[in-house]
Amino acid sequence: MIDDLDPRILDLALAVALGFLVGLERERAPDKLIGLRSFALIGAFGGLAGLLAADWGGWVAGVGLAALTAMILAHRLRLPAREPDREFGTTTMVAAAIVFLLGAACVAGYRVHAVVLGGLTIILLHWKQPLHGLAARLGNEEFNAIARFVLITLVVLPVLPNASYGPYAVFNPFHTWLLVVLIVALNLVGYVALRLLGSRRGAILGGVLGGMVSSTATTVSFAGLARDDRAAAPGAALIILIASTVVYARIGIELAVVAPGLLAAAAGPLLAFTVLMLAASAAVYPRVSRQSVTLPAQSNPARLQVALTFGVLYVVILFTLAAARDWIGDHALYAVAFVSGLTDVDAMTLSVGRLYAQGDLAADVAWRAVFLASLANLLFKVGAGCVIGGPALRRFLLPAGAATLAGGLAVLLFWP
C-alpha cells in the first residue's frame, strides 16, 4: 500500500519528523524560545516551500526562510531581555532555520543528507553542557595544537599538487601530505586526551594514552623512571607493554585508510598478536599497585617540523621499498621493513599500504612486511627498556617481551 503513495507525501512526512525530533530536544530545555509543535510545523513549512520551489523556482524557499526568520525575530523581541534567554534564543533561531532547510532538502531529493544533518543537529543541541565544558578545559597548549593541525590540513594540503615526481614516481606532494595529516591527527587525539584528562592516570589508561601519542617516548620515559625508582618497575613494564599494544590499533586504522584490502588480509595476524600482547600485559598486571602514575610531558604533535620530518621519512622509505623491490625482489622488502621499523612503524605501514593499493605488492608480502616492521619496533623498545631501566625493569619486561617476540615470529613465519 505504501508503494501507492506519492513519494512527495513521504518526503513531507520526513520533513515533519525531523522537525519533531529537533523540537523534542528544544522542548526539554529551560527558557525555550519555541518548542516541539513549532519545530514540527517549521519542518512542514520547509517541506512545502521546497515542494513549491520545484515548480515555481528557488525564490520560494528563499522567501519562506526570510519570512520564518522575521517571525522568530519578532517573537524574540517581544520577550524580556534576559541574558539566558538571549543566548538560548540565538541557538534556537539557528536550529529553526536549519529545520526549515532540512524540510526543503527532503523534498528536493536529499533525504539521506537531511537525516544525517538532522541527527547531528540534535546531538549538538543536546550536548550543550559537555561541549561548553570541553571548550572551557582547552588551554593554550591544546588549542595551539589544534590550530596548527588546521594549518597543515586546511591551508597547506589544498595547495599541494596531486602529481607524481622523481624516480619510480613515488613522490606525490598531495598524497604524502595527506598521510602526514593522518598521522598528526592520530597523535593529536592522544595529545589532547592526555592534556584534558591530566598526566596522573592509572597504569592501564596511562599505557593507552602513551601509546596513542608515542609508544617509543613512553618506553624511554618509564624506563628511566624504573631506573630511579625500583618500586615503579612493574608499573613501568605494564605501561610499556600496553603502549606497544596500541601500536597495532594504529596500524589497523592506517591500513583501513590507505589499503582496506590489505587490512582484510592483515586483520587475522594483527588481532592474534594483539591478544598475545594483552596476555603479556595481564601477566604483569597483578604486580602493579593501584597507585596512579605520572605520564611524561609530550610535545605538540602538530608542529610543522614534526610533520615535515614524517613526510620526508615516508618518501624515503617509499623510494627505498620501490628501489629494493626493483633491484633485488620482494624479499628485499623485509630487510627494509626491519630496519625502518626500528624507528618508525607508521611510515613503513603507509608506504607498504600505498604499494599494495597500486597493485605493486601481493597481500601476503605486504602484511608480513608491516608486521615485521612492528616486531622490529617492539624489539627496539624492549631492548631500550631493559638497558635504560636496569635490572628492576628487566625482571618484568624481558620475559614478557621475549615471549611476545617469539610469538610474533611464529605468526610471521607460520601464518597461512
Side-chain angles (χ1 to χ4, degrees), residues 22-23 25-27 29-36 38-39 42 68 72 75-76 84-99 121 125 128:
V22 174
E25 194 286 329
R26 290 288 83 186
E27 187 73 30
D31 300 321
K32 63 180 183 294
L33 180 63
I34 53 179
L36 187 153
S38 297
F39 270 97
I42 291 171
L68 172 66
I72 296 177
H75 178 56
R76 174 67 187 86
D85 277 341
R86 183 177 297 121
E87 178 186 353
F88 189 80
T90 301
T91 302
T92 304
M93 286 189 289
V94 174
I98 290 176
V99 168
T121 300
L125 292 172
K128 174 183 177 180

PDB file of all heavy atoms in Angstrom, residues 22-23 25-27 29-36 38-39 42 68 72 75-76 84-99 121 125 128:
ATOM      1  N   VAL A  22      13.915  17.508  16.466  1.00  0.00           N
ATOM      2  CA  VAL A  22      14.660  18.668  16.950  1.00  0.00           C
ATOM      3  C   VAL A  22      13.833  19.424  17.986  1.00  0.00           C
ATOM      4  O   VAL A  22      14.334  19.862  19.026  1.00  0.00           O
ATOM      5  CB  VAL A  22      15.043  19.599  15.780  1.00  0.00           C
ATOM      6  CG1 VAL A  22      15.697  20.881  16.298  1.00  0.00           C
ATOM      7  CG2 VAL A  22      15.985  18.883  14.819  1.00  0.00           C
ATOM      8  N   GLY A  23      12.522  19.553  17.740  1.00  0.00           N
ATOM      9  CA  GLY A  23      11.654  20.237  18.701  1.00  0.00           C
ATOM     10  C   GLY A  23      11.555  19.494  20.012  1.00  0.00           C
ATOM     11  O   GLY A  23      11.423  20.115  21.081  1.00  0.00           O
ATOM     12  N   GLU A  25      13.912  17.901  21.468  1.00  0.00           N
ATOM     13  CA  GLU A  25      15.097  18.271  22.256  1.00  0.00           C
ATOM     14  C   GLU A  25      14.950  19.692  22.800  1.00  0.00           C
ATOM     15  O   GLU A  25      15.249  19.953  23.965  1.00  0.00           O
ATOM     16  CB  GLU A  25      16.343  18.167  21.370  1.00  0.00           C
ATOM     17  CG  GLU A  25      17.667  18.203  22.130  1.00  0.00           C
ATOM     18  CD  GLU A  25      18.040  19.580  22.660  1.00  0.00           C
ATOM     19  OE1 GLU A  25      17.661  20.580  22.000  1.00  0.00           O
ATOM     20  OE2 GLU A  25      18.705  19.670  23.711  1.00  0.00           O
ATOM     21  N   ARG A  26      14.458  20.619  21.993  1.00  0.00           N
ATOM     22  CA  ARG A  26      14.296  22.012  22.431  1.00  0.00           C
ATOM     23  C   ARG A  26      13.222  22.139  23.513  1.00  0.00           C
ATOM     24  O   ARG A  26      13.313  22.983  24.396  1.00  0.00           O
ATOM     25  CB  ARG A  26      13.931  22.897  21.242  1.00  0.00           C
ATOM     26  CG  ARG A  26      15.034  23.121  20.245  1.00  0.00           C
ATOM     27  CD  ARG A  26      16.134  24.032  20.772  1.00  0.00           C
ATOM     28  NE  ARG A  26      17.111  23.319  21.586  1.00  0.00           N
ATOM     29  CZ  ARG A  26      18.094  23.904  22.247  1.00  0.00           C
ATOM     30  NH1 ARG A  26      18.222  25.214  22.220  1.00  0.00           N
ATOM     31  NH2 ARG A  26      18.950  23.195  22.950  1.00  0.00           N
ATOM     32  N   GLU A  27      12.190  21.277  23.456  1.00  0.00           N
ATOM     33  CA  GLU A  27      11.104  21.331  24.432  1.00  0.00           C
ATOM     34  C   GLU A  27      11.614  21.042  25.847  1.00  0.00           C
ATOM     35  O   GLU A  27      11.067  21.552  26.826  1.00  0.00           O
ATOM     36  CB  GLU A  27      10.019  20.323  24.044  1.00  0.00           C
ATOM     37  CG  GLU A  27       8.759  20.387  24.888  1.00  0.00           C
ATOM     38  CD  GLU A  27       7.918  21.608  24.584  1.00  0.00           C
ATOM     39  OE1 GLU A  27       7.944  22.081  23.427  1.00  0.00           O
ATOM     40  OE2 GLU A  27       7.239  22.088  25.505  1.00  0.00           O
ATOM     41  N   ALA A  29      14.491  21.884  27.061  1.00  0.00           N
ATOM     42  CA  ALA A  29      15.417  22.905  27.546  1.00  0.00           C
ATOM     43  C   ALA A  29      14.662  23.977  28.328  1.00  0.00           C
ATOM     44  O   ALA A  29      13.523  24.321  27.999  1.00  0.00           O
ATOM     45  CB  ALA A  29      16.156  23.543  26.373  1.00  0.00           C
ATOM     46  N   PRO A  30      15.273  24.527  29.371  1.00  0.00           N
ATOM     47  CA  PRO A  30      14.626  25.610  30.122  1.00  0.00           C
ATOM     48  C   PRO A  30      14.600  26.903  29.296  1.00  0.00           C
ATOM     49  O   PRO A  30      15.458  27.124  28.438  1.00  0.00           O
ATOM     50  CB  PRO A  30      15.521  25.759  31.362  1.00  0.00           C
ATOM     51  CG  PRO A  30      16.858  25.267  30.921  1.00  0.00           C
ATOM     52  CD  PRO A  30      16.582  24.167  29.932  1.00  0.00           C
ATOM     53  N   ASP A  31      13.615  27.748  29.588  1.00  0.00           N
ATOM     54  CA  ASP A  31      13.504  29.060  28.936  1.00  0.00           C
ATOM     55  C   ASP A  31      13.503  28.944  27.410  1.00  0.00           C
ATOM     56  O   ASP A  31      14.177  29.696  26.704  1.00  0.00           O
ATOM     57  CB  ASP A  31      14.654  29.981  29.374  1.00  0.00           C
ATOM     58  CG  ASP A  31      14.653  30.198  30.878  1.00  0.00           C
ATOM     59  OD1 ASP A  31      13.558  30.331  31.443  1.00  0.00           O
ATOM     60  OD2 ASP A  31      15.741  30.214  31.461  1.00  0.00           O
ATOM     61  N   LYS A  32      12.755  27.980  26.905  1.00  0.00           N
ATOM     62  CA  LYS A  32      12.759  27.750  25.457  1.00  0.00           C
ATOM     63  C   LYS A  32      12.104  28.925  24.725  1.00  0.00           C
ATOM     64  O   LYS A  32      11.169  29.562  25.215  1.00  0.00           O
ATOM     65  CB  LYS A  32      12.032  26.451  25.120  1.00  0.00           C
ATOM     66  CG  LYS A  32      10.552  26.431  25.490  1.00  0.00           C
ATOM     67  CD  LYS A  32       9.942  25.102  25.100  1.00  0.00           C
ATOM     68  CE  LYS A  32       8.442  25.078  25.402  1.00  0.00           C
ATOM     69  NZ  LYS A  32       8.165  25.149  26.828  1.00  0.00           N
ATOM     70  N   LEU A  33      12.612  29.199  23.561  1.00  0.00           N
ATOM     71  CA  LEU A  33      12.039  30.249  22.723  1.00  0.00           C
ATOM     72  C   LEU A  33      10.844  29.712  21.937  1.00  0.00           C
ATOM     73  O   LEU A  33       9.776  30.309  21.906  1.00  0.00           O
ATOM     74  CB  LEU A  33      13.113  30.778  21.770  1.00  0.00           C
ATOM     75  CG  LEU A  33      12.698  31.883  20.806  1.00  0.00           C
ATOM     76  CD1 LEU A  33      12.288  33.130  21.570  1.00  0.00           C
ATOM     77  CD2 LEU A  33      13.835  32.201  19.843  1.00  0.00           C
ATOM     78  N   ILE A  34      11.021  28.584  21.278  1.00  0.00           N
ATOM     79  CA  ILE A  34       9.937  27.871  20.606  1.00  0.00           C
ATOM     80  C   ILE A  34      10.116  26.399  20.905  1.00  0.00           C
ATOM     81  O   ILE A  34      11.218  25.936  21.210  1.00  0.00           O
ATOM     82  CB  ILE A  34       9.930  28.124  19.078  1.00  0.00           C
ATOM     83  CG1 ILE A  34      11.303  27.827  18.474  1.00  0.00           C
ATOM     84  CG2 ILE A  34       9.496  29.537  18.770  1.00  0.00           C
ATOM     85  CD1 ILE A  34      11.365  28.034  16.980  1.00  0.00           C
ATOM     86  N   GLY A  35       9.047  25.630  20.827  1.00  0.00           N
ATOM     87  CA  GLY A  35       9.096  24.249  21.276  1.00  0.00           C
ATOM     88  C   GLY A  35       8.765  23.233  20.219  1.00  0.00           C
ATOM     89  O   GLY A  35       8.911  23.458  19.005  1.00  0.00           O
ATOM     90  N   LEU A  36       8.237  22.100  20.689  1.00  0.00           N
ATOM     91  CA  LEU A  36       8.076  20.915  19.855  1.00  0.00           C
ATOM     92  C   LEU A  36       7.139  21.168  18.676  1.00  0.00           C
ATOM     93  O   LEU A  36       7.473  20.881  17.520  1.00  0.00           O
ATOM     94  CB  LEU A  36       7.563  19.771  20.738  1.00  0.00           C
ATOM     95  CG  LEU A  36       7.468  18.364  20.134  1.00  0.00           C
ATOM     96  CD1 LEU A  36       7.604  17.335  21.243  1.00  0.00           C
ATOM     97  CD2 LEU A  36       6.175  18.145  19.397  1.00  0.00           C
ATOM     98  N   SER A  38       6.137  23.924  17.313  1.00  0.00           N
ATOM     99  CA  SER A  38       6.644  24.927  16.380  1.00  0.00           C
ATOM    100  C   SER A  38       7.688  24.336  15.447  1.00  0.00           C
ATOM    101  O   SER A  38       7.679  24.598  14.233  1.00  0.00           O
ATOM    102  CB  SER A  38       7.235  26.113  17.148  1.00  0.00           C
ATOM    103  OG  SER A  38       6.245  26.765  17.916  1.00  0.00           O
ATOM    104  N   PHE A  39       8.578  23.523  15.986  1.00  0.00           N
ATOM    105  CA  PHE A  39       9.623  22.928  15.143  1.00  0.00           C
ATOM    106  C   PHE A  39       9.026  21.952  14.142  1.00  0.00           C
ATOM    107  O   PHE A  39       9.481  21.861  12.995  1.00  0.00           O
ATOM    108  CB  PHE A  39      10.684  22.246  16.012  1.00  0.00           C
ATOM    109  CG  PHE A  39      11.808  23.149  16.410  1.00  0.00           C
ATOM    110  CD1 PHE A  39      11.805  23.773  17.650  1.00  0.00           C
ATOM    111  CD2 PHE A  39      12.858  23.396  15.557  1.00  0.00           C
ATOM    112  CE1 PHE A  39      12.834  24.609  18.026  1.00  0.00           C
ATOM    113  CE2 PHE A  39      13.898  24.228  15.912  1.00  0.00           C
ATOM    114  CZ  PHE A  39      13.888  24.854  17.157  1.00  0.00           C
ATOM    115  N   ILE A  42       7.653  24.033  11.469  1.00  0.00           N
ATOM    116  CA  ILE A  42       8.729  24.623  10.666  1.00  0.00           C
ATOM    117  C   ILE A  42       9.251  23.599   9.658  1.00  0.00           C
ATOM    118  O   ILE A  42       9.542  23.925   8.503  1.00  0.00           O
ATOM    119  CB  ILE A  42       9.860  25.137  11.568  1.00  0.00           C
ATOM    120  CG1 ILE A  42       9.387  26.354  12.362  1.00  0.00           C
ATOM    121  CG2 ILE A  42      11.099  25.500  10.748  1.00  0.00           C
ATOM    122  CD1 ILE A  42      10.362  26.810  13.435  1.00  0.00           C
ATOM    123  N   LEU A  68      10.273  33.145   7.848  1.00  0.00           N
ATOM    124  CA  LEU A  68      10.467  32.434   9.113  1.00  0.00           C
ATOM    125  C   LEU A  68      11.389  33.226  10.037  1.00  0.00           C
ATOM    126  O   LEU A  68      11.107  33.381  11.234  1.00  0.00           O
ATOM    127  CB  LEU A  68      11.043  31.043   8.842  1.00  0.00           C
ATOM    128  CG  LEU A  68      11.468  30.247  10.081  1.00  0.00           C
ATOM    129  CD1 LEU A  68      10.251  29.905  10.933  1.00  0.00           C
ATOM    130  CD2 LEU A  68      12.227  28.979   9.672  1.00  0.00           C
ATOM    131  N   ILE A  72      10.419  34.707  13.820  1.00  0.00           N
ATOM    132  CA  ILE A  72      11.129  34.332  15.041  1.00  0.00           C
ATOM    133  C   ILE A  72      11.753  35.553  15.693  1.00  0.00           C
ATOM    134  O   ILE A  72      11.723  35.705  16.926  1.00  0.00           O
ATOM    135  CB  ILE A  72      12.193  33.265  14.723  1.00  0.00           C
ATOM    136  CG1 ILE A  72      11.531  31.978  14.237  1.00  0.00           C
ATOM    137  CG2 ILE A  72      13.043  32.969  15.952  1.00  0.00           C
ATOM    138  CD1 ILE A  72      12.496  30.903  13.831  1.00  0.00           C
ATOM    139  N   HIS A  75       9.101  37.459  17.478  1.00  0.00           N
ATOM    140  CA  HIS A  75       8.750  36.769  18.723  1.00  0.00           C
ATOM    141  C   HIS A  75       9.824  36.972  19.783  1.00  0.00           C
ATOM    142  O   HIS A  75       9.522  37.194  20.959  1.00  0.00           O
ATOM    143  CB  HIS A  75       8.544  35.285  18.435  1.00  0.00           C
ATOM    144  CG  HIS A  75       8.218  34.476  19.648  1.00  0.00           C
ATOM    145  ND1 HIS A  75       7.153  34.752  20.475  1.00  0.00           N
ATOM    146  CD2 HIS A  75       8.840  33.372  20.187  1.00  0.00           C
ATOM    147  CE1 HIS A  75       7.114  33.868  21.457  1.00  0.00           C
ATOM    148  NE2 HIS A  75       8.137  33.032  21.303  1.00  0.00           N
ATOM    149  N   ARG A  76      11.065  36.934  19.338  1.00  0.00           N
ATOM    150  CA  ARG A  76      12.183  37.089  20.283  1.00  0.00           C
ATOM    151  C   ARG A  76      12.206  38.497  20.875  1.00  0.00           C
ATOM    152  O   ARG A  76      12.464  38.683  22.072  1.00  0.00           O
ATOM    153  CB  ARG A  76      13.506  36.802  19.559  1.00  0.00           C
ATOM    154  CG  ARG A  76      14.763  37.056  20.393  1.00  0.00           C
ATOM    155  CD  ARG A  76      14.833  36.048  21.544  1.00  0.00           C
ATOM    156  NE  ARG A  76      15.928  36.376  22.434  1.00  0.00           N
ATOM    157  CZ  ARG A  76      15.852  37.235  23.439  1.00  0.00           C
ATOM    158  NH1 ARG A  76      14.716  37.905  23.660  1.00  0.00           N
ATOM    159  NH2 ARG A  76      16.877  37.438  24.219  1.00  0.00           N
ATOM    160  N   PRO A  84      20.119  34.783  29.789  1.00  0.00           N
ATOM    161  CA  PRO A  84      19.971  33.376  29.414  1.00  0.00           C
ATOM    162  C   PRO A  84      19.053  33.190  28.218  1.00  0.00           C
ATOM    163  O   PRO A  84      19.314  32.386  27.341  1.00  0.00           O
ATOM    164  CB  PRO A  84      19.384  32.751  30.697  1.00  0.00           C
ATOM    165  CG  PRO A  84      19.826  33.656  31.797  1.00  0.00           C
ATOM    166  CD  PRO A  84      19.802  35.041  31.197  1.00  0.00           C
ATOM    167  N   ASP A  85      17.965  33.989  28.157  1.00  0.00           N
ATOM    168  CA  ASP A  85      17.051  33.884  27.017  1.00  0.00           C
ATOM    169  C   ASP A  85      17.744  34.263  25.729  1.00  0.00           C
ATOM    170  O   ASP A  85      17.553  33.648  24.684  1.00  0.00           O
ATOM    171  CB  ASP A  85      15.837  34.788  27.245  1.00  0.00           C
ATOM    172  CG  ASP A  85      14.788  34.113  28.127  1.00  0.00           C
ATOM    173  OD1 ASP A  85      14.825  32.866  28.252  1.00  0.00           O
ATOM    174  OD2 ASP A  85      13.967  34.834  28.689  1.00  0.00           O
ATOM    175  N   ARG A  86      18.573  35.328  25.802  1.00  0.00           N
ATOM    176  CA  ARG A  86      19.223  35.811  24.597  1.00  0.00           C
ATOM    177  C   ARG A  86      20.169  34.753  24.036  1.00  0.00           C
ATOM    178  O   ARG A  86      20.190  34.471  22.848  1.00  0.00           O
ATOM    179  CB  ARG A  86      19.981  37.106  24.894  1.00  0.00           C
ATOM    180  CG  ARG A  86      20.632  37.721  23.673  1.00  0.00           C
ATOM    181  CD  ARG A  86      21.310  39.026  23.991  1.00  0.00           C
ATOM    182  NE  ARG A  86      20.344  40.013  24.430  1.00  0.00           N
ATOM    183  CZ  ARG A  86      20.399  40.612  25.616  1.00  0.00           C
ATOM    184  NH1 ARG A  86      21.362  40.317  26.457  1.00  0.00           N
ATOM    185  NH2 ARG A  86      19.495  41.508  25.972  1.00  0.00           N
ATOM    186  N   GLU A  87      20.935  34.121  24.916  1.00  0.00           N
ATOM    187  CA  GLU A  87      21.878  33.092  24.459  1.00  0.00           C
ATOM    188  C   GLU A  87      21.128  31.894  23.891  1.00  0.00           C
ATOM    189  O   GLU A  87      21.426  31.394  22.824  1.00  0.00           O
ATOM    190  CB  GLU A  87      22.761  32.661  25.634  1.00  0.00           C
ATOM    191  CG  GLU A  87      23.738  31.551  25.271  1.00  0.00           C
ATOM    192  CD  GLU A  87      24.490  31.042  26.483  1.00  0.00           C
ATOM    193  OE1 GLU A  87      24.348  31.625  27.565  1.00  0.00           O
ATOM    194  OE2 GLU A  87      25.221  30.046  26.331  1.00  0.00           O
ATOM    195  N   PHE A  88      20.114  31.453  24.624  1.00  0.00           N
ATOM    196  CA  PHE A  88      19.373  30.281  24.194  1.00  0.00           C
ATOM    197  C   PHE A  88      18.586  30.579  22.923  1.00  0.00           C
ATOM    198  O   PHE A  88      18.474  29.752  22.028  1.00  0.00           O
ATOM    199  CB  PHE A  88      18.440  29.840  25.324  1.00  0.00           C
ATOM    200  CG  PHE A  88      17.792  28.515  25.063  1.00  0.00           C
ATOM    201  CD1 PHE A  88      18.480  27.345  25.288  1.00  0.00           C
ATOM    202  CD2 PHE A  88      16.501  28.453  24.573  1.00  0.00           C
ATOM    203  CE1 PHE A  88      17.883  26.136  25.047  1.00  0.00           C
ATOM    204  CE2 PHE A  88      15.905  27.235  24.325  1.00  0.00           C
ATOM    205  CZ  PHE A  88      16.591  26.081  24.569  1.00  0.00           C
ATOM    206  N   GLY A  89      18.012  31.804  22.848  1.00  0.00           N
ATOM    207  CA  GLY A  89      17.227  32.145  21.687  1.00  0.00           C
ATOM    208  C   GLY A  89      18.035  32.131  20.411  1.00  0.00           C
ATOM    209  O   GLY A  89      17.530  31.736  19.358  1.00  0.00           O
ATOM    210  N   THR A  90      19.287  32.565  20.465  1.00  0.00           N
ATOM    211  CA  THR A  90      20.133  32.560  19.270  1.00  0.00           C
ATOM    212  C   THR A  90      20.324  31.147  18.751  1.00  0.00           C
ATOM    213  O   THR A  90      20.199  30.878  17.546  1.00  0.00           O
ATOM    214  CB  THR A  90      21.500  33.200  19.595  1.00  0.00           C
ATOM    215  OG1 THR A  90      21.299  34.526  20.054  1.00  0.00           O
ATOM    216  CG2 THR A  90      22.387  33.201  18.368  1.00  0.00           C
ATOM    217  N   THR A  91      20.619  30.209  19.642  1.00  0.00           N
ATOM    218  CA  THR A  91      20.795  28.815  19.236  1.00  0.00           C
ATOM    219  C   THR A  91      19.515  28.260  18.639  1.00  0.00           C
ATOM    220  O   THR A  91      19.520  27.570  17.608  1.00  0.00           O
ATOM    221  CB  THR A  91      21.217  27.967  20.448  1.00  0.00           C
ATOM    222  OG1 THR A  91      22.412  28.500  20.995  1.00  0.00           O
ATOM    223  CG2 THR A  91      21.444  26.522  20.047  1.00  0.00           C
ATOM    224  N   THR A  92      18.392  28.572  19.267  1.00  0.00           N
ATOM    225  CA  THR A  92      17.120  28.049  18.785  1.00  0.00           C
ATOM    226  C   THR A  92      16.755  28.634  17.429  1.00  0.00           C
ATOM    227  O   THR A  92      16.205  27.935  16.563  1.00  0.00           O
ATOM    228  CB  THR A  92      16.017  28.349  19.811  1.00  0.00           C
ATOM    229  OG1 THR A  92      16.402  27.800  21.077  1.00  0.00           O
ATOM    230  CG2 THR A  92      14.698  27.733  19.390  1.00  0.00           C
ATOM    231  N   MET A  93      17.027  29.908  17.210  1.00  0.00           N
ATOM    232  CA  MET A  93      16.736  30.523  15.913  1.00  0.00           C
ATOM    233  C   MET A  93      17.552  29.867  14.803  1.00  0.00           C
ATOM    234  O   MET A  93      17.038  29.603  13.717  1.00  0.00           O
ATOM    235  CB  MET A  93      17.003  32.027  15.982  1.00  0.00           C
ATOM    236  CG  MET A  93      15.945  32.810  16.754  1.00  0.00           C
ATOM    237  SD  MET A  93      16.126  34.606  16.603  1.00  0.00           S
ATOM    238  CE  MET A  93      17.600  34.875  17.572  1.00  0.00           C
ATOM    239  N   VAL A  94      18.822  29.583  15.077  1.00  0.00           N
ATOM    240  CA  VAL A  94      19.651  28.904  14.075  1.00  0.00           C
ATOM    241  C   VAL A  94      19.112  27.504  13.817  1.00  0.00           C
ATOM    242  O   VAL A  94      19.032  27.038  12.663  1.00  0.00           O
ATOM    243  CB  VAL A  94      21.116  28.853  14.545  1.00  0.00           C
ATOM    244  CG1 VAL A  94      21.956  28.013  13.588  1.00  0.00           C
ATOM    245  CG2 VAL A  94      21.696  30.258  14.649  1.00  0.00           C
ATOM    246  N   ALA A  95      18.709  26.803  14.898  1.00  0.00           N
ATOM    247  CA  ALA A  95      18.154  25.458  14.740  1.00  0.00           C
ATOM    248  C   ALA A  95      16.874  25.498  13.913  1.00  0.00           C
ATOM    249  O   ALA A  95      16.623  24.609  13.087  1.00  0.00           O
ATOM    250  CB  ALA A  95      17.885  24.840  16.111  1.00  0.00           C
ATOM    251  N   ALA A  96      16.050  26.524  14.116  1.00  0.00           N
ATOM    252  CA  ALA A  96      14.806  26.643  13.351  1.00  0.00           C
ATOM    253  C   ALA A  96      15.101  26.828  11.859  1.00  0.00           C
ATOM    254  O   ALA A  96      14.429  26.232  11.003  1.00  0.00           O
ATOM    255  CB  ALA A  96      13.981  27.816  13.882  1.00  0.00           C
ATOM    256  N   ALA A  97      16.088  27.656  11.530  1.00  0.00           N
ATOM    257  CA  ALA A  97      16.453  27.850  10.126  1.00  0.00           C
ATOM    258  C   ALA A  97      16.958  26.545   9.523  1.00  0.00           C
ATOM    259  O   ALA A  97      16.645  26.210   8.369  1.00  0.00           O
ATOM    260  CB  ALA A  97      17.517  28.944  10.019  1.00  0.00           C
ATOM    261  N   ILE A  98      17.738  25.786  10.296  1.00  0.00           N
ATOM    262  CA  ILE A  98      18.251  24.501   9.798  1.00  0.00           C
ATOM    263  C   ILE A  98      17.097  23.541   9.540  1.00  0.00           C
ATOM    264  O   ILE A  98      17.069  22.833   8.516  1.00  0.00           O
ATOM    265  CB  ILE A  98      19.257  23.908  10.798  1.00  0.00           C
ATOM    266  CG1 ILE A  98      20.538  24.739  10.815  1.00  0.00           C
ATOM    267  CG2 ILE A  98      19.570  22.454  10.460  1.00  0.00           C
ATOM    268  CD1 ILE A  98      21.555  24.297  11.843  1.00  0.00           C
ATOM    269  N   VAL A  99      16.135  23.480  10.465  1.00  0.00           N
ATOM    270  CA  VAL A  99      14.985  22.581  10.289  1.00  0.00           C
ATOM    271  C   VAL A  99      14.198  22.956   9.036  1.00  0.00           C
ATOM    272  O   VAL A  99      13.749  22.085   8.279  1.00  0.00           O
ATOM    273  CB  VAL A  99      14.088  22.616  11.537  1.00  0.00           C
ATOM    274  CG1 VAL A  99      12.744  21.936  11.263  1.00  0.00           C
ATOM    275  CG2 VAL A  99      14.788  21.921  12.696  1.00  0.00           C
ATOM    276  N   THR A 121      22.411  17.811  14.195  1.00  0.00           N
ATOM    277  CA  THR A 121      21.846  18.990  14.843  1.00  0.00           C
ATOM    278  C   THR A 121      21.313  18.658  16.231  1.00  0.00           C
ATOM    279  O   THR A 121      21.548  19.388  17.206  1.00  0.00           O
ATOM    280  CB  THR A 121      20.711  19.576  13.971  1.00  0.00           C
ATOM    281  OG1 THR A 121      21.248  19.934  12.700  1.00  0.00           O
ATOM    282  CG2 THR A 121      20.096  20.793  14.624  1.00  0.00           C
ATOM    283  N   LEU A 125      22.749  20.179  19.804  1.00  0.00           N
ATOM    284  CA  LEU A 125      21.853  20.878  20.722  1.00  0.00           C
ATOM    285  C   LEU A 125      21.828  20.201  22.085  1.00  0.00           C
ATOM    286  O   LEU A 125      21.838  20.867  23.132  1.00  0.00           O
ATOM    287  CB  LEU A 125      20.437  20.926  20.146  1.00  0.00           C
ATOM    288  CG  LEU A 125      20.229  21.802  18.896  1.00  0.00           C
ATOM    289  CD1 LEU A 125      18.831  21.586  18.338  1.00  0.00           C
ATOM    290  CD2 LEU A 125      20.464  23.264  19.213  1.00  0.00           C
ATOM    291  N   LYS A 128      25.051  20.486  24.855  1.00  0.00           N
ATOM    292  CA  LYS A 128      25.448  21.858  25.171  1.00  0.00           C
ATOM    293  C   LYS A 128      26.458  21.897  26.317  1.00  0.00           C
ATOM    294  O   LYS A 128      27.545  22.490  26.193  1.00  0.00           O
ATOM    295  CB  LYS A 128      24.215  22.692  25.520  1.00  0.00           C
ATOM    296  CG  LYS A 128      24.545  24.096  25.997  1.00  0.00           C
ATOM    297  CD  LYS A 128      23.287  24.852  26.398  1.00  0.00           C
ATOM    298  CE  LYS A 128      23.645  26.233  26.938  1.00  0.00           C
ATOM    299  NZ  LYS A 128      22.446  26.998  27.339  1.00  0.00           N
TER     300      LYS A 128
END
